[in-house]
Amino acid sequence: CVDRYNHRFGHLRHSARLPDLGSPIIPYHTSIIHSPGAVCFEGWLAIHLLVYTIFLLNVWPLYFTQGYNTRARRTVFRIKNYCINRWISGGYSYVFEPSLEPLSAQTVGQLIATCAEDSPDRTAVVSVHQNISKTYGELNSDANKLAMSLRELGCGRGDRVGIWAPNCYEWLLTQYGTAKIGAIMVNVNPGYRASELQYALNLVGCHTLICSQRFRSSNYCEIMNDISPELLGNKNSKVIDCEKIPSLKNIVMINSAPNEPDIAPTHVTRFDDLLTPDHQFPGDDPAIQFDDPINIQFTSGTTGHPKGATLTHHSIIQNAWFVGKRSLEGLDPKGLR
């Protein structure tokens, strides 16, 4: 779907930007839905146009009559736009409508870099249980280091990087680090057992897994050994070659808290090691687009296997902006600093 979308809308996407303004914006409300199980309903196009034609043959003559009300006029207009949109998109889940407020065309990596430049000393994140507090400048610096290390591990644009951990600073940092290299972070439920973990990683083709060493009563090392001893057992090479999860090449363990002993083998890469790369991060990949996928989230799987839903840079940033804007309506901005 991503390739087909880029082919159909590449020229429209770039022409929609306004270079004479400070940052590129889109004057339309856009929504793109990508999914590992996405299906193109090209065959529905003919049916939609047929229904639209029949509707107009019966209703259009009334459009010019004196008794035709505004609601009916609006209905005809919406049906026309719907069918045109379906024809332009080829049946994909792509919807665009006029918007009163322009939307940002930044990627998540560009956004955190902009915040670090504008407010480098302002507090960005506080992890109370880890006793960690980072400014925007420090957060962006750590994200750059992680992005560089992930590149050295072989991760690139479109590769899946799983995060199997509860809420922590490393979780947030993984999202920003993967965004800067165009990789897709996969949210793995920290409560998953062996069969669920194996299914989720194979479903998305996970390349690298970043995980905690334990969560509540779960020992993540034991769970991975239940899947296959090959995941953590090879002391001679850090590159994984496991038949049960063939796409997985790297496992990175988040360092234990100071009051907790390490339970992972010593030869397994630690997360803190990724924050000391040998080379400087050259910057975000210019090929990364705002509508590229950035995050895969799984459904609960209560009625079957979990299903993956893919989010883009664009959808995450717009949701965060408008939810935050609505939540802060009527509040004094000075009291929020």
Side-chain angles (χ1 to χ4, degrees), residues 122-123 328 332-337:
R122 190 167 183 175
T123 302
L328 299 178
D332 182 8
K334 296 182 181 180
L336 300 175
R337 295 180 180 179

Side-chain angles (χ1 to χ4, degrees), residues 41-87:
F41 295 99
E42 296 265 3
W44 282 75
L45 177 59
I47 297 177
H48 290 153
L49 292 179
L50 177 61
V51 171
Y52 173 55
T53 304
I54 295 175
F55 180 84
L56 288 187
L57 288 176
N58 288 276
V59 179
W60 190 259
L62 300 177
Y63 187 85
F64 299 99
T65 63
Q66 185 175 2
Y68 195 66
N69 59 36
T70 304
R71 179 176 297 180
R73 288 173 181 266
R74 190 178 296 115
T75 301
V76 173
F77 180 75
R78 287 177 175 174
I79 293 177
K80 179 190 70 173
N81 278 351
Y82 172 74
C83 292
I84 291 176
N85 289 348
R86 293 287 295 187
W87 174 73

Side-chain angles (χ1 to χ4, degrees), residues 323-337:
V323 169
K325 182 180 178 182
R326 177 62 64 87
S327 301
L328 299 178
E329 283 183 358
L331 299 180
D332 182 8
K334 296 182 181 180
L336 300 175
R337 295 180 180 179

Side-chain angles (χ1 to χ4, degrees), residues 135-152:
T135 64
Y136 280 105
E138 293 170 334
L139 176 60
N140 185 60
S141 177
D142 286 350
N144 288 338
K145 295 175 183 178
L146 179 60
M148 191 66 221
S149 294
L150 290 175
R151 275 186 178 172
E152 293 174 352

Side-chain angles (χ1 to χ4, degrees), residues 103-123:
L103 306 184
S104 170
Q106 284 185 309
T107 65
V108 171
Q110 292 168 346
L111 181 62
I112 186 63
T114 300
C115 292
E117 183 178 351
D118 294 343
S119 306
D121 300 323
R122 190 167 183 175
T123 302

Side-chain angles (χ1 to χ4, degrees), residues 5-6 9-28 30 32 94 102-107 110 157 285-292 313-314 318:
Y5 162 77
N6 287 334
F9 292 95
H11 64 290
L12 295 178
R13 182 179 60 211
H14 294 291
S15 64
R17 301 185 181 186
L18 305 179
D20 55 319
L21 299 180
S23 59
I25 58 175
I26 309 174
Y28 295 98
T30 61
I32 307 164
Y94 185 90
L103 306 184
S104 170
Q106 284 185 309
T107 65
Q110 292 168 346
R157 185 182 179 192
D285 186 347
I288 300 173
Q289 298 291 324
F290 65 87
D291 51 10
D292 281 351
H313 294 260
H314 189 62
Q318 300 338 301

